[in-house]
């Protein structure tokens, strides 16, 4: 039996191996037509400098009378040179036919009309539409087309854009070989009668060669038309192509289609309303086809935004050019917004490469198309930036792997058509409604969410893996050989639940739905039947399945197997889940596992198949190898107790898995008290009352009625816990105990996890044992998991003790139940027990003991060959660290006595207490931290400032402060891991350290007279301020506290000159405080009042760093402000782009930015000449980039994550720029209401000052954003 979890990997691997034998086409000569760029320009870029627009000379074309084609071009049947329909001219096709050959193609600059009913075959190498092409054929579809274009030849064609598009390609534009190219023009094609259905379900079968369908096809599908019946079984290859020989009425709103030869009986609506096969019409009255024996044609709309294209009712045959980028049957290429454009009711058959490709194009309607026998991905979003496109009622039949793969040319990325999917989705912000996958060799719907190729650089702040799904409902997936719908390989991690509703998955050979590396998915009202595996959940969390039926083998499927002589069909599997969730940087997940609500399993009994399984615990174990995917069932029923199987997981070591059955309906379908389904292992069964349990040994599970389990995770650093076990006892019966081992993570050096799972009805004590001796690991992190039912044990029912109850020691819980008990976290801080075991040299130098500061012993660090500033002596936490002390909002004081020693002379050495420059900086403390999400942060704590004098011959007092951040996008939860070292002093220096402490700051514990770096006292927790001006810096990009930057200047009216050395801050003045949490997205900062003002630290009195950021070598510092002590100085560095400048990082509460509200943005600004340091000027009102004055740039995303940029001017034309003073900026911005280019509230907000001349710096003060309405 195949492993369901590995199946997707197997498919990709086999396909990738198979592709090694395929020809991957790259560059070649024009004669071999291997034009290797998607762009119609002679460069490797995928984008033109500007798009094509409609020709102005066609402004009145719709009012023009059409002239005769014969009058314009004559009656010759062969034209050697290119025909040109002149711009501004309408030509009606009336060539006598039946064949017209255009050896150099036709350039439609004006308008060319094919009248309804006109019949002609055109052989050509190029159809170029710069104007308009109109075709219509409304006769009943009889298999004989009115208009056929045969694309032939091998040479690459090109054209010269005209009118307002002149020069678009920098010369001529290449179109490739055998091309239909639309460049600024318009196509209006319709090759079907009105209201013609393109596919429907088969209602019944009569005899061996007739089917019954809805009479909606009457007088539309007629004798001679070609149809295809989709596969009825699990194979992707069961399609049947036939020709209609006659149509007759059978009453009840249905007709009979008599076919030219017998068919294998398919599943009908009478057999199964939920799993009937489909019949699709392949013929159309307009045909585009690649010449027989050629490598196919291609049809693209290139760089043509805002023009309504209609491609409807066209049969496209032998299109798509294998291995060539951008050469597809229908391709909208970099067209931007095409609202109103439609690709509908077409047939794409025998495609050599893909079907309908939407690239860099938004808001296209793709509806009721039929794709049959196609290679590679079929309906696809190419680069991951496409949004608002609608795929409605399309069907894909017989999608197979590509034979030739498009190479990675840099502009496209690695192509995956060797694992072809009928729908390839790179961005979920598009709609998929009522579509059908009816036979695919590998995948049906593949969410391969990514931004690809060269566009990835332009959209670095956009992550399609988090974008909400616009709509996915009513889709059908059947006869897929691989996986019907998958998120493999990278997954999907939206921030909120995404709904997938009323979809059907049936008769798929392997997996119907695979949810991989994914979270927050809600499957509602879906049906699954006759799949080898219905749902496989692996490496995923918060997966909801509701109002769903899952059928293993149906009665209909048994008949399908008999008809198709499949002797060895695999036993069905319902839902498979794994017990662990190895998310990167997630030590303990805050989300649940699989949540089932009103799910009914049937058709899995042993009478159907001996190994059938409705609920399967898979064998895959990752991460901690202990249960963490906590799952709950509500109203879930199975028809047979033998269809639950936990053996695969248990055999792999999953011994502590359980599922909460909140309604107790799982086994008998009757509402009952909350119960638990669990692995029948000692870890789970020890405290459970046996009389309420039913064990199924053959299936490795036990079901316990009226039983609720609660889980607690205890984390202890791996290095300290190798010999630890955790003893858990019934508090009322201390002899009733179980001893548990811990679990280490398979891929991270995370703390060892001890997992306690205990049932309701008792209270429990736990104690750690180190080789049998009770011990309390002072660095233990305790995580109580969610109660999944009301009667589960409460937090106080499960207590970790320092010593076991009943010993000579009094029973206590954690010894640090309050901050007061935390005290100094550094053991042996006075070094009187020496350094050994408490500190190490961290791979650089060595340690020894010397005389200390007024004490016998201190630590001597010999730096050896130290050549990295970030190295130095590191603390080893020998006696542990109580992580319960390191809670969010607590402030910690670091203190020490330090002395530098010159390595060469052995004498005391000095450093610059006010410097941040490498080589002269004084020692500082470096903290390397991980938060609850296991994200890495580096924080530097400085303990000296410019007011301190370093005593080269004595010990110097270090005093610095750090506050643990609150939750924000950059920090989650308490501290989970910490490393501490002393770093950043000059090379060639040794270091003596004594009295090193790390103490919590409580209330008024700070003595402001102790050191020049101390500050007024502060009670804990501190909401917005740090108790000190001692700087701390962070390297995470979300400053915990930006460095305190102060100035010695006194307030003055207006600065008149900026120093020529580009001023740097002079940190001598005591600041009042620092932000205690990353300001990004915080609801309020400092003393701001709700939403009236949303810019934190607008007067820059807390400094600029941590609130504003820079790019490309630029920097910010503090200078004298406008009637204040501090302003921000932006040093432009190597700024080479006008749209760059200082960017606000202080956070804006997006809830304040309500639609329709107007905001006033004000500031005081001064430009400074880089070369002279003198004030510089700009021209108010100018649009010349070289002389323009600064303005505000907003980069926004709406509720659909659509990108929008706005520039806000802040001056009037009557104003002039004061070169030597501060200039007033006042601009207004209104949050957009819903409309064509905006939908919903602001989801993302970035603000920066931009567009001022190069070679100028910028001084900013009093920057405010105030709500005015």
């Amino acid at each position: 039996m195949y492993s369901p979890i590995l199946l997707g990997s197997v498919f990709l691997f086999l396909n990738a191996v198979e592709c090694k034998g395929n020809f991957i086409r790259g560059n070649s000569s024009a004669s071999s037509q291997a034009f290797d760029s998607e762009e119609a320009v002679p460069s490797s870029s995928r984008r033109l400098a500007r798009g094509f627009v409609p020709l102005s000379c066609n402004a009145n074309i719709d009012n023009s009378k059409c002239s005769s084609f014969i009058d314009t071009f004559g009656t010759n049947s062969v034209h050697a040179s290119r025909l040109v329909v002149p711009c501004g001219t309408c030509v009606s096709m009336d060539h006598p036919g039946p064949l017209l050959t255009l050896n150099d193609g036709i350039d439609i600059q004006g308008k060319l009309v094919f009248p309804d009913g006109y019949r002609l075959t055109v052989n050509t190498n190029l159809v170029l539409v710069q104007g308009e092409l109109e075709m219509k054929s409304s006769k009943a579809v009889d298999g004989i087309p009115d208009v056929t274009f045969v694309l032939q030849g091998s040479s690459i064609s090109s054209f010269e854009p005209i009118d307002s598009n002149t020069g678009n390609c920098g010369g001529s534009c290449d179109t490739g070989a055998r091309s239909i190219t639309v460049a600024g023009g318009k196509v209006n094609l319709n090759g079907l009668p009105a209201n013609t259905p393109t596919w429907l379900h088969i209602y019944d079968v009569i005899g061996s060669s007739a089917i019954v369908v809805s009479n909606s096809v009457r007088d539309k599908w007629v004798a001679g038309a070609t149809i295809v019946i989709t596969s009825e079984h699990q194979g992707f290859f069961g399609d049947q192509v036939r020709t209609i020989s006659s149509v007759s009425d059978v009453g009840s709103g249905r007709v009979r289609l008599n076919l030219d030869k017998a068919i294998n009986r398919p599943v009908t609506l009478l057999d199964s309303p939920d799993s009937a096969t489909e019949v699709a019409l392949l013929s159309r009255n307009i045909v585009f086809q690649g010449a027989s024996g050629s490598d196919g044609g291609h049809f693209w709309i290139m760089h043509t935004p805002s023009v309504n294209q209609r491609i409807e009712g066209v049969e496209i045959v032998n299109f798509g050019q294998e291995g060539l980028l951008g050469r597809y049957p229908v391709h909208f290429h970099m067209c931007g917004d095409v609202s109103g454009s439609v690709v509908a009711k077409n047939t794409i058959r025998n495609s050599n490469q893909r079907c309908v490709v939407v690239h860099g194009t938004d808001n296209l309607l793709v509806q009721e198309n039929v794709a049959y026998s196609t290679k590679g991905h079929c309906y696809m979003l190419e680069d991951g930036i496409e949004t608002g496109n609608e795929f409605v009622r399309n069907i894909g039949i017989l999608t197979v792997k590509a034979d030739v793969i498009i190479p990675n040319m840099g502009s496209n990325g690695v192509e995956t058509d060797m694992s072809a999917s009928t729908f390839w989705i790179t961005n979920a912000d598009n709609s998929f409604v009522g579509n059908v996958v009816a036979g695919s060799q590998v995948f049906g719907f593949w969410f391969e969410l990514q931004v690809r190729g060269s566009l990835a650089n332009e959209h670095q702040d956009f992550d399609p893996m988090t974008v909400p799904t616009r709509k996915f409902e009513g889709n059908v997936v059947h006869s897929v050989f691989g996986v019907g719908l998958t998120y493999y390989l990278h997954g999907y991690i939206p921030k909120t639940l995404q709904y997938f509703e009323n979809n059907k998955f049936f008769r798929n050979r392997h997996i119907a739905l695979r949810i991989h590396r994914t979270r927050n998915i809600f499957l509602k009202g879906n049906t699954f039947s006759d799949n080898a595996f219905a749902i496989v959940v692996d490496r995923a969390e918060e997966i909801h399945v509701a109002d769903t039926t899952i059928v293993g083998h149906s009665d209909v499927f048994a008949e399908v197997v008999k008809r198709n002589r499949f002797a060895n069909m695999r036993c069905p599997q319902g839902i498979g889940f794994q017990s662990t969730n190895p998310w990167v940087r997630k030590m303990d997940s805050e989300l649940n596992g699989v949540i089932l609500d009103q799910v009914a399993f049937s058709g899995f009994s042993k009478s159907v198949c001996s190994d059938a399984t409705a609920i399967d615990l898979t064998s895959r174990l990752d991460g901690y190898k202990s249960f963490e995917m906590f799952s709950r069932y509500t109203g879930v029923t199975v028809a047979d107790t033998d269809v639950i199987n936990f053996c695969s997981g248990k055999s792999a070591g999953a011994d502590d898995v359980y599922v909460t059955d909140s309604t107790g309906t799982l086994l008998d379908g009757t509402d009952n008290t909350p119960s638990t389904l669990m692995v029948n292992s000692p870890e789970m069964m020890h405290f459970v009352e046996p009389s309420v349990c039913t064990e199924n040994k053959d299936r490795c599970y036990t079901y316990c009625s009226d039983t609720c389990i609660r889980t607690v995770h205890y984390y202890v650093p791996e290095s300290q816990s190798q010999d630890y076990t955790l003893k858990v006892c019934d508090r009322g019966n201390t002899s009733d105990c179980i001893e548990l081992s811990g679990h280490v993570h398979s891929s991270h050096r995370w703390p060892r996890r001890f997992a306690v799972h205990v049932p309701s009805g008792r209270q429990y004590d736990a104690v750690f044992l180190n080789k049998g001796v009770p011990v309390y690991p002072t660095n233990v992190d305790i995580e109580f998991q969610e109660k999944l039912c009301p009667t589960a044990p409460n937090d106080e029912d499960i207590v970790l003790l320092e010593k076991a109850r009943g010993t000579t020691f009094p029973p206590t819980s954690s010894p640090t139940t309050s901050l007061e008990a935390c005290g100094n976290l550094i053991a042996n801080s006075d070094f009187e027990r020496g350094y050994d075991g408490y500190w190490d040299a961290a791979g650089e130098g060595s340690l020894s003991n010397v005389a200390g500061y007024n004490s016998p012993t201190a630590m001597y660090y010999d730096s050896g060959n130290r050549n990295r500033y970030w190295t130095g002596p590191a603390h080893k936490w020998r006696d542990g660290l109580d992580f319960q002390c390191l809670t969010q909002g607590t402030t910690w004081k670091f203190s020490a006595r330090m002395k530098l020693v010159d390595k060469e002379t052995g004498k005391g050495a000095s450093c610059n207490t006010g410097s941040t420059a490498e080589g002269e900086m004084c020692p500082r403390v470096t903290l390397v931290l991980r938060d609850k999400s296991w994200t890495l942060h580096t924080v530097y704590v400085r303990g000296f400032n410019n007011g301190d004098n370093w005593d080269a011959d004595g010990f110097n007092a270090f005093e610095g402060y750090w506050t643990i951040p609150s939750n924000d996008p950059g920090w989650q939860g308490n501290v989970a891991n910490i490393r501490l070292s002393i770093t950043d002093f000059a090379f060639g220096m040794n270091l003596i350290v004594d009295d090193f402490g790390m103490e919590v700051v409580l209330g008024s514990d700070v003595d402001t007279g102790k050191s020049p770096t101390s500050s007024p006292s502060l009670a804990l927790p501190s909401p917005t301020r740090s108790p000190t001006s001692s700087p701390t810096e962070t390297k995470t990009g979300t400053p915990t506290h930006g460095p305190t930057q102060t100035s010695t200047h006194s307030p003055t009216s207006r600065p008149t000159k900026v120093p020529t050395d580009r001023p740097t801050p002079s940190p001598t003045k005591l600041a009042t405080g620092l932000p205690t949490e990353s300001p990004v997205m915080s609801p309020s900062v400092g003393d701001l009042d709700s939403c009236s003002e949303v810019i934190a630290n607008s007067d820059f009195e807390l400094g600029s760093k941590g609130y504003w950021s820079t790019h490309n070598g630029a920097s910010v510092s503090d200078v004298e402000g406008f009637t204040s002590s501090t302003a921000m100085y932006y040093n432009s560095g190597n700024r080479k782009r006008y749209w760059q400048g200082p960017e606000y990082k202080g956070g804006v509460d997006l809830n304040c930015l309500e639609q329709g509200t107007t905001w006033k943005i004000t500031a005081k600004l001064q430009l400074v000449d880089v070369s002279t340091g003198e004030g510089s000027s700009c021209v108010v009102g100018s649009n010349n980039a070289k002389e323009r004055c600064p303005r505000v740039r907003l980069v926004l995303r709406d509720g659909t994550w659509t990108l929008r940029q706005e520039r806000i001017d802040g001056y009037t034309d009557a104003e002039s720029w004061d070169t030597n003073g501060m200039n007033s900026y006042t601009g207004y911005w209104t949050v957009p209401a819903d409309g064509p280019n905006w939908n919903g509230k602001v989801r993302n907000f970035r603000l920066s000052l931009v567009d001022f001349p190069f070679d100028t710096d910028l001084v900013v003060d009093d920057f405010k954003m105030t709500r005015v309405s």
Side-chain angles (χ1 to χ4, degrees), residues 532-555:
F533 297 89
I535 305 173
V536 172
V537 180
D538 70 288
R539 298 188 174 189
E541 59 188 356
E542 205 67 37
I543 307 301
H544 294 249
V545 184
D547 302 327
T548 292
T549 60
I550 301 178
V551 179
H553 281 175
S554 67
D555 294 339

Side-chain angles (χ1 to χ4, degrees), residues 272-309:
S272 172
D274 288 329
S275 64
T277 50
E278 303 84 8
V279 57
L281 179 68
L282 295 180
S283 299
R284 299 293 187 272
N285 294 332
I286 298 173
V287 176
F288 296 159
Q289 70 180 60
S292 177
S294 73
D295 291 335
H298 76 98
F299 181 6
W300 65 332
I301 292 85
M302 56 177 289
H303 291 276
T304 302
S306 304
V307 176
N308 288 349
Q309 313 288 346

Side-chain angles (χ1 to χ4, degrees), residues 136-296:
K136 185 175 183 180
S137 176
S138 60
K139 72 181 180 72
V141 181
D142 57 6
I144 303 174
D146 278 344
V147 178
T148 301
F149 272 76
V150 179
L151 278 297
Q152 60 185 21
S154 59
S155 62
I156 292 174
S157 300
S158 63
F159 70 97
E160 296 281 350
I162 66 167
D163 196 60
S164 51
N165 294 320
T166 301
N168 262 17
C169 299
S172 63
C173 302
D174 292 330
T175 65
R178 301 176 301 282
S179 166
I180 301 174
T181 297
V182 180
K186 175 181 179 180
V187 290
N188 186 359
L189 314 175
N190 191 346
L192 284 176
N195 302 316
T196 301
T198 58
W199 64 269
L200 30 68
H201 291 101
I202 299 174
Y203 178 78
D204 197 5
V205 175
I206 299 176
S208 63
S209 60
I211 59 176
V212 177
V213 297
S214 163
N215 67 359
S216 59
V217 306
R218 185 196 302 276
D219 300 326
K220 299 174 179 64
W221 300 18
V222 299
T226 302
I227 61 163
V228 58
I229 298 171
T230 63
S231 176
E232 71 152 352
H233 51 67
Q234 290 184 338
F236 65 93
F237 42 79
D239 52 284
Q240 305 176 73
V241 177
R242 299 292 186 268
T243 300
I244 299 174
S245 57
S246 64
V247 180
S248 58
D249 193 351
V250 294
S252 301
R254 300 182 184 91
V255 295
R256 167 177 174 163
L257 303 183
N258 296 302
L259 308 177
D260 62 332
K261 54 184 178 181
I263 59 172
N264 296 322
R265 189 189 190 284
V267 176
T268 68
L269 287 171
L270 286 178
D271 298 327
S272 172
D274 288 329
S275 64
T277 50
E278 303 84 8
V279 57
L281 179 68
L282 295 180
S283 299
R284 299 293 187 272
N285 294 332
I286 298 173
V287 176
F288 296 159
Q289 70 180 60
S292 177
S294 73
D295 291 335

Side-chain angles (χ1 to χ4, degrees), residues 316-559:
I316 302 173
V317 186
N318 188 27
F319 264 43
Q321 298 172 359
E322 289 182 303
L324 296 184
L325 185 63
R327 303 298 182 244
Y328 317 126
V330 177
H331 179 199
F332 276 73
H333 175 68
M334 306 303 289
C335 291
D337 187 358
V338 296
S339 298
S341 292
V342 176
V343 178
K345 299 192 175 185
N346 304 287
T347 292
I348 300 171
R349 57 187 298 195
N350 301 332
S351 168
N352 306 301
Q353 181 169 268
R354 300 178 174 172
C355 305
V356 178
V357 177
V358 182
H359 179 202
T361 299
D362 302 329
N363 304 317
L364 175 66
L365 176 60
V366 182
Q367 183 170 359
E368 291 190 63
N369 297 283
V370 176
Y372 171 63
S373 186
T374 62
K375 296 179 181 179
H377 301 314
C378 187
Y379 303 96
M380 61 175 287
L381 301 163
E382 188 164 357
D383 272 359
I385 61 167
E386 301 81 12
T387 66
N389 300 289
E390 297 180 71
F391 293 81
V392 180
R393 295 201 80 249
N394 302 283
I395 188 169
I397 308 165
L398 191 59
T399 307
V400 301
K401 297 182 293 184
D403 294 326
V404 180
I405 306 302
I406 300 169
N408 182 358
M409 303 173 65
S411 61
N412 59 313
V414 177
E415 306 292 351
T416 55
D417 297 74
M418 78 290 285
S419 300
S421 57
T422 305
F423 290 85
W424 193 65
I425 303 166
T426 55
N427 186 331
D429 187 23
N430 296 274
S431 298
F432 298 86
V433 179
N435 300 286
V436 176
V437 177
S440 178
Q441 188 175 8
V442 185
F443 295 135
F445 289 89
W446 186 4
F447 283 81
E448 194 174 14
L449 303 170
Q450 58 182 310
V451 177
R452 307 193 320 141
S454 59
L455 291 178
N457 294 327
E458 300 178 29
H459 299 271
Q460 295 184 31
D461 62 340
F462 175 63
D463 182 4
M465 289 179 63
T466 65
V467 172
T469 298
R470 184 166 292 203
K471 184 177 286 189
F472 192 96
E473 62 182 45
N475 300 292
V476 174
V477 182
H478 71 89
S479 306
V480 174
F481 201 75
V483 185
L485 188 155
T486 184
Y487 296 99
Y488 195 84
L489 172 69
H490 303 294
Y492 182 33
I493 52 174
K495 297 178 181 179
T496 58
L497 285 173
Q498 302 301 303
Y499 286 77
F500 294 72
E501 301 185 61
N502 303 320
N503 303 289
K504 298 177 182 178
F505 301 81
F506 57 88
R507 296 194 294 275
N508 294 291
R509 176 65 175 173
H510 292 288
I511 302 175
L513 171 59
R514 182 181 186 187
I515 303 175
H516 174 78
R517 287 189 177 179
T518 293
R519 65 171 69 109
N520 286 326
I521 298 297
F522 201 115
L523 305 170
K524 182 178 176 62
N526 301 286
T527 61
F528 298 81
S529 65
D530 306 318
N531 306 287
F533 297 89
I535 305 173
V536 172
V537 180
D538 70 288
R539 298 188 174 189
E541 59 188 356
E542 205 67 37
I543 307 301
H544 294 249
V545 184
D547 302 327
T548 292
T549 60
I550 301 178
V551 179
H553 281 175
S554 67
D555 294 339
V556 168
F557 186 61
E559 294 301 317

Side-chain angles (χ1 to χ4, degrees), residues 600-915:
F601 294 89
S602 63
F604 291 96
S605 68
K606 285 186 176 181
S607 62
V608 172
C609 192
S610 60
D611 290 328
T613 302
I615 301 172
D616 180 52
L617 175 63
T618 64
S619 60
R620 183 169 194 164
L621 283 180
D622 298 291
Y624 274 113
K625 304 187 187 305
S626 73
F627 184 55
E628 56 192 352
M629 298 315 300
F630 304 104
S631 301
R632 180 173 58 246
Y633 294 173
T634 302
V636 177
T637 59
V638 296
D640 189 324
T641 58
D642 279 335
V643 301
I644 300 170
N645 194 343
F646 280 9
C647 291
S648 180
K650 184 179 180 181
S651 65
D655 295 325
D656 61 347
V657 179
Y658 68 92
V659 175
T660 299
D661 181 12
S662 60
T663 52
T665 57
L666 183 63
L667 297 189
D668 62 10
T670 304
D671 279 349
N672 210 322
T673 56
S675 304
T676 300
L677 171 69
M678 64 183 77
V679 171
N680 52 2
S681 65
E683 291 92 331
M684 296 305 305
M685 295 298 300
H686 182 86
F687 293 111
V688 174
E689 173 57 46
S691 63
V692 300
C693 297
T694 301
E695 183 179 16
N696 188 324
K697 290 184 179 181
D698 291 339
R699 294 289 178 140
C700 307
Y701 78 83
T702 296
Y703 186 83
C704 298
S705 301
D706 197 19
T707 302
C708 282
I709 303 292
R710 182 76 184 281
T711 295
V712 186
H713 286 154
Y714 300 92
Y715 293 96
V716 182
E718 183 182 352
S719 60
Q720 299 178 23
S721 59
Q722 292 179 359
D723 298 318
Y724 281 10
T725 58
L726 184 64
K727 186 177 182 180
V728 182
C729 298
D730 182 339
R731 190 177 301 170
N733 179 6
T734 56
S735 63
D736 186 5
C737 302
I738 185 172
E739 199 164 322
L740 304 171
S741 299
H743 299 268
V744 296
H745 199 277
S746 60
S747 57
H748 294 284
R749 290 185 59 83
W750 287 354
R752 189 182 303 269
R753 175 197 280 172
F754 294 82
V756 174
H757 313 288
V758 289
S760 51
R762 305 192 195 191
Q763 292 182 309
Y764 307 89
D765 292 332
V767 62
F768 276 100
L769 303 177
N770 185 1
K771 297 181 179 179
V773 178
V775 62
Y776 189 95
T778 55
N779 51 350
V780 64
D781 181 19
I782 304 173
E783 297 292 341
F784 284 87
Q785 302 303 325
E786 178 187 356
K787 292 177 64 173
L788 296 180
C789 52
T791 59
N794 297 316
D795 292 8
E796 59 269 20
D797 294 331
I798 311 168
V799 177
L800 179 66
L801 303 179
E802 182 177 14
K803 300 291 182 181
R805 295 178 190 268
T807 65
T808 56
F809 296 92
T812 61
S813 56
S814 164
T816 55
T817 55
S818 64
L819 288 176
E820 288 82 356
C822 291
N824 184 1
L825 297 185
I826 304 297
N828 185 33
S829 63
D830 58 5
F831 294 95
E832 294 310 295
R833 282 173 276 173
Y835 70 87
D836 189 27
Y838 295 94
W839 293 75
D840 66 33
E844 302 280 355
S846 60
L847 298 176
S848 59
N849 297 321
V850 295
Y853 174 77
N854 295 330
S855 66
T857 311
M859 177 179 68
Y860 187 91
Y861 171 71
D862 186 323
S863 60
N865 295 319
R866 174 176 174 263
N867 58 8
R868 293 171 290 184
Y869 288 106
W870 49 266
T871 59
H875 188 59
K876 295 179 63 175
W877 307 109
R878 169 175 163 174
D879 290 352
L881 170 65
D882 192 345
F883 280 98
Q884 293 183 89
C885 291
L886 298 179
T887 57
Q888 291 177 280
T890 55
T891 297
W892 294 86
K893 171 186 170 183
F894 296 84
S895 59
R897 297 287 176 169
M898 299 185 184
K899 181 178 182 179
L900 290 172
V901 179
D902 188 293
K903 283 183 66 68
E904 292 187 0
T905 66
K907 295 182 178 180
S910 189
C911 61
N912 185 344
T913 59
S915 176

